[in-house]
Amino acid sequence: MTPLLACILMRGGGPLTRNEIILFSLFAGAVMLVGICRQLFDTWIKRTRGRNWPTISAVIDIVSVAFMPDDSIPSPSVPTDSSGYLATLTYVYRNPELQMGDYSRRFAKEDDARAWANSYKGETVKVHVDPRDPTRSVLREEDL
């Protein structure tokens, strides 16, 4: 890409040639493709992370809802141009010492976020705990 930039700068900013437009379009397309693939990869990692770890019982001890302005939480499932509310479930478990973790979900409306979070307050759930590091755990969506 550096030769293209050097070529454009050396020309003094005149009209772009057909080749330069094609190269710029290819570069822009590659950047967009990398962004899409990264989002897909992140989604796949979230779905599979902890899937084979052993489970242990945990209690959802704290629930909270916070307003999140545009772009404060990058998420492939939520458009980046929308603000919303982040509902967080904080759970505690013993393995063998007291540990904690959290699970978050984003909502468009505060009432929906509060209703969802409050419905889990005090509930017992299964969390997947990393056998190599008991401080790492995952509460998977399908375990709620």
Side-chain angles (χ1 to χ4, degrees), residues 77 84 89 119 122:
S77 61
L89 309 176
S119 72

Side-chain angles (χ1 to χ4, degrees), residues 60-63 89 116-123:
I60 297 176
D61 191 36
I62 303 167
V63 297
L89 309 176
W116 179 83
N118 289 332
S119 72
Y120 288 103
K121 175 78 171 152
E123 292 291 319

Side-chain angles (χ1 to χ4, degrees), residues 69-108:
D70 291 350
D71 299 330
S72 60
I73 304 174
S75 171
S77 61
V78 176
T80 57
D81 61 338
S82 65
S83 58
Y85 294 87
L86 186 68
T88 303
L89 309 176
T90 302
Y91 56 86
V92 293
Y93 62 98
R94 283 199 182 274
N95 191 23
E97 297 175 11
L98 190 64
Q99 309 289 342
M100 62 187 324
D102 57 47
Y103 175 85
S104 298
R105 184 181 288 178
R106 191 165 179 173
F107 292 85

Side-chain angles (χ1 to χ4, degrees), residues 12-94:
L16 295 176
T17 66
R18 181 174 185 257
N19 287 340
E20 291 169 342
I21 292 171
I22 290 171
L23 285 174
F24 179 76
S25 298
L26 287 173
F27 177 75
V31 168
M32 289 184 345
L33 183 62
V34 166
I36 291 168
C37 289
R38 181 172 180 244
Q39 286 181 348
L40 291 173
F41 183 71
D42 287 346
T43 301
W44 178 79
I45 288 293
K46 287 179 184 177
R47 285 187 186 151
T48 59
R49 191 175 124 206
R51 179 177 53 192
N52 296 323
W53 292 350
T55 59
I56 191 167
S57 291
V59 176
I60 297 176
D61 191 36
I62 303 167
V63 297
S64 63
V65 174
F67 177 73
M68 293 293 160
D70 291 350
D71 299 330
S72 60
I73 304 174
S75 171
S77 61
V78 176
T80 57
D81 61 338
S82 65
S83 58
Y85 294 87
L86 186 68
T88 303
L89 309 176
T90 302
Y91 56 86
V92 293
Y93 62 98
R94 283 199 182 274

